[in-house]
Amino acid sequence: MLFLVAALLLLGVVLGTVAHAPLGFSLALGAVIAVWLGVFALRERHGRRRGPQTR
């Protein structure tokens, strides 16, 4: 429950910051995050296809 409260508090702070940032900056930062998440998803999918590596 405490984690949920902290997450909501952090979300409120972040959304408040974005509301005061210029639109171009917010869109650019959103694009960077989307690319980062896309790369992460591709790496995860590629890693699961190859299976666990044994040493």
Side-chain angles (χ1 to χ4, degrees), residues 17-38:
T17 303
V18 169
H20 295 288
L23 181 61
F25 176 76
S26 298
L27 292 176
L29 190 60
V32 168
I33 292 171
V35 167
W36 178 68
L37 288 174

Side-chain angles (χ1 to χ4, degrees), residues 1-47:
M1 185 69 176
L2 186 59
F3 175 76
L4 182 60
V5 171
L8 289 173
L9 180 64
L10 183 61
L11 180 65
V13 169
V14 170
L15 287 178
T17 303
V18 169
H20 295 288
L23 181 61
F25 176 76
S26 298
L27 292 176
L29 190 60
V32 168
I33 292 171
V35 167
W36 178 68
L37 288 174
V39 168
F40 177 77
L42 288 174
R43 289 182 65 198
E44 284 293 314
R45 180 177 293 187
H46 180 68

